[in-house]
Amino acid sequence: MPSPTQVVSLLKSQNVRHVRLYDADRAMLLALANTGIEVAVSVPNELLLGIGQSNATAANWVARNVIAHVPDTNITAIAVGSEVLTTLPNAAPVLVSALKFIHSALVASNLDGRIKVSTPHSSSIILDSFPPSQAFFNRSWDPVMAPLLKFLQSTGSYLMLNVYPYYDYMQSDGVIPLDYALFRSLPPNKEAVDANTLLHYTNVFDAIVDAAYFSMSYLNITNVPIVVTESGWPSKGDSSEPDATAENANTYNSNLIKHVINNTGTPKHPGIAVSTYIYELYNEDLRPGPASEQNWGLFDANGLPVYVLDLTGAGTVFANDTTNRTFCVAKEGADVKMLQAALDWACGPGKVDCSPLLQGQPCYEPDNVVSHSAYAFDAYFQQTGRSVGTCDFKGVATITTTDPSHGSCVFPGSFRKNGTVTNGTSLAPSSNDTSSACPPRYFCGSGSLTTSVIIGACVFLMTAVFL
């Protein structure tokens, strides 16, 4: 998968201004330094028990993963664990202590004013989410949720919530219409009405968010905002998942982005955008489970977009339409001898026309193996129709959307005309690199046209964008 510098290049090219890491990977934090991108780091679940039982352990973690990187890296939030109540219930008794210990370490370093502390929850902690006005958190978690919400309130933080209308739709046995889950327009008589408040709900997303707001109010908390830390739709599924399609994924994510950046808000809080992370940046080909689990990404493992987001009327939030301008070049730091062997193969058995690399020809300069192999790799990649596996060359080549043409040397895949080069960004290695399997990534938004991304701990398979 992409190196940290390649990931940051992608974030910058897409004007992503917020990113969440699923851990606090040092290489990623260093790559994000001096970019201005706001970063949320995470305490992995496996560290939660230790941090929740020891102030010193928490202070150590903050010193190593936060203080060591600020202010160069703009860390603005810490997510302590992930869906702890539903996936790691044995750690629930120390969850609030973990948040408090992490926050105390920030206070000691005078960083509590700029870095918020919270923990992401599954929306399944909300019982009876419709009508929203009657929703409440699972009462068995009241001993955790009540002090947790008071902590968020006292520190000016926010409730982190993962919202997946796809799963609500799939588990409803036909009760929830597909259009209602996808933000599609509904006639007034098809809208869901909360009989207690007479509020009309046109989509599942808003109903779940408002259910969380009402659930907090039953615990006497009314001024803690919500940030949706995960939301999305899979682009492919198996035979039991017929609605996991690229069309539906495009519809959901495009409509979600527009819903957020237009400051639509929810029926309970109209005009107040719900900042949301879209799950996820890359597909995860090795993720276990049904086919949908591997196909939540906006990009495939080769760095090409799975679909092009339809953002008409919402501005360009994520310009992932790179399908027709991808190139194959030498991978940064590749072994020179392996590059030379690959160059020789491309210009020989690979049947690439390497005459532009001869002395006196447009692509001779710079006269080095990196430059020459980049041209030969791209020529082979383009002549094979950019098919899967044709930009690998035993691991020394990588896909990029940055046009490598220079001077009078125009690469085969270039759209360059009249001296103009289309700019892009380096994405990912060849699709036949399946060495990594980990969590996903998102988009997120808070009413502006800058975007945010979440990057996961496992070799950066996970990214989310903050709208």
Side-chain angles (χ1 to χ4, degrees):
M1 295 305 296
S3 68
T5 54
Q6 288 174 315
V7 172
V8 171
S9 294
L10 174 61
L11 303 185
K12 290 166 68 176
S13 74
Q14 303 296 344
N15 196 29
V16 171
R17 303 308 306 160
H18 304 76
V19 62
R20 175 185 170 199
L21 309 183
Y22 277 83
D23 60 3
D25 183 81
R26 182 175 181 273
M28 193 67 226
L29 288 172
L30 290 173
L32 285 162
N34 303 310
T35 62
I37 295 173
E38 295 188 23
V39 182
V41 294
S42 300
V43 175
N45 281 355
E46 58 266 27
L47 301 182
L48 194 60
L49 283 171
I51 286 175
Q53 297 178 82
S54 169
N55 201 358
T57 301
N60 231 1
W61 189 92
V62 170
R64 188 172 62 254
N65 298 293
V66 178
I67 297 172
H69 295 282
V70 296
D72 291 351
T73 302
N74 188 18
I75 298 174
T76 58
I78 301 174
V80 181
S82 178
E83 299 190 347
V84 174
L85 300 185
T86 49
T87 63
L88 194 66
N90 64 307
V94 302
L95 178 59
V96 176
S97 294
L99 269 71
K100 289 181 176 179
F101 288 158
I102 292 288
H103 183 257
S104 294
L106 295 176
V107 171
S109 298
N110 200 30
L111 291 173
D112 56 302
R114 60 177 288 179
I115 301 177
K116 300 301 180 185
V117 180
S118 188
T119 182
H121 295 285
S122 165
S123 62
S124 64
I125 66 168
I126 302 169
L127 299 183
D128 298 328
S129 59
F130 202 91
S133 62
Q134 293 181 196
F136 54 90
F137 294 124
N138 186 326
R139 295 285 162 76
S140 64
W141 294 123
D142 280 0
V144 177
M145 290 304 297
L148 170 62
L149 292 172
K150 288 178 180 176
F151 167 81
L152 298 178
Q153 184 181 54
S154 66
T155 60
S157 190
Y158 39 82
L159 180 72
M160 293 179 170
L161 188 69
N162 297 339
V163 177
Y164 285 105
Y166 172 75
Y167 289 125
D168 289 277
Y169 164 74
M170 288 288 290
Q171 295 164 9
S172 74
D173 293 326
V175 174
I176 295 177
L178 180 60
D179 287 347
Y180 184 58
L182 293 174
F183 290 92
R184 286 181 176 145
S185 297
L186 297 172
N189 65 330
K190 295 291 185 182
E191 294 176 358
V193 180
D194 186 323
N196 300 311
T197 62
L198 299 183
L199 294 174
H200 287 236
Y201 287 88
T202 61
N203 61 80
V204 175
F205 180 91
D206 283 351
I208 295 174
V209 172
D210 274 0
Y213 276 123
F214 278 108
S215 297
M216 285 194 284
S217 69
Y218 283 121
L219 293 176
N220 298 314
I221 300 294
T222 58
N223 57 352
V224 171
I226 292 174
V227 168
V228 174
T229 38
E230 298 181 21
S231 194
W233 197 282
S235 61
K236 185 187 295 185
D238 55 32
S239 58
S240 65
E241 304 170 300
D243 295 299
T245 66
E247 179 182 359
N248 287 343
N250 189 346
T251 298
Y252 179 81
N253 286 328
S254 296
N255 286 340
L256 173 60
I257 291 172
K258 287 183 276 193
H259 186 69
V260 171
I261 67 175
N262 290 339
N263 293 330
T264 305
T266 67
K268 180 172 172 58
H269 293 294
I272 301 176
V274 181
S275 296
T276 302
Y277 289 91
I278 294 180
Y279 184 95
E280 62 184 323
L281 190 59
Y282 292 103
N283 279 338
E284 301 178 65
D285 59 336
L286 299 184
R287 191 175 180 88
S292 62
E293 285 298 309
Q294 303 158 23
N295 291 281
W296 289 80
L298 296 170
F299 290 94
D300 65 17
N302 203 32
L304 300 176
V306 178
Y307 51 86
V308 179
L309 290 173
D310 177 12
L311 303 178
T312 305
T316 301
V317 176
F318 193 80
N320 65 346
D321 184 6
T322 58
T323 305
N324 293 318
R325 54 184 182 94
T326 52
F327 308 86
C328 182
V329 296
K331 186 180 292 185
E332 183 180 344
D335 181 81
V336 174
K337 290 183 179 179
M338 291 184 68
L339 282 175
Q340 184 63 60
L343 171 62
D344 294 342
W345 182 89
C347 295
K351 300 181 179 180
V352 167
D353 177 11
C354 291
S355 59
L357 300 175
L358 299 176
Q359 188 168 3
Q361 298 302 308
C363 297
Y364 176 73
E365 296 289 349
D367 181 18
N368 60 62
V369 68
V370 174
S371 178
H372 285 193
S373 61
Y375 180 90
F377 292 173
D378 189 57
Y380 182 77
F381 183 56
Q382 304 301 332
Q383 76 182 24
T384 54
R386 301 192 298 274
S387 56
V388 173
T390 58
C391 181
D392 182 51
F393 293 93
K394 295 188 176 179
V396 296
T398 184
I399 297 288
T400 179
T401 56
T402 300
D403 190 338
S405 301
H406 52 88
S408 58
C409 177
V410 179
F411 273 53
S414 179
F415 285 174
R416 190 172 107 167
K417 295 179 180 179
N418 301 324
T420 301
V421 179
T422 302
N423 291 321
T425 182
S426 181
L427 293 179
S430 170
S431 62
N432 54 12
D433 177 2
T434 57
S435 60
S436 171
C438 36
R441 313 211 191 249
Y442 320 91
F443 273 116
C444 188
S446 59
S448 73
L449 289 181
T450 58
T451 50
S452 319
V453 177
I454 295 182
I455 299 180
C458 298
V459 213
F460 317 113
L461 270 181
M462 198 170 220
T463 305
V465 179
F466 193 71
L467 302 177

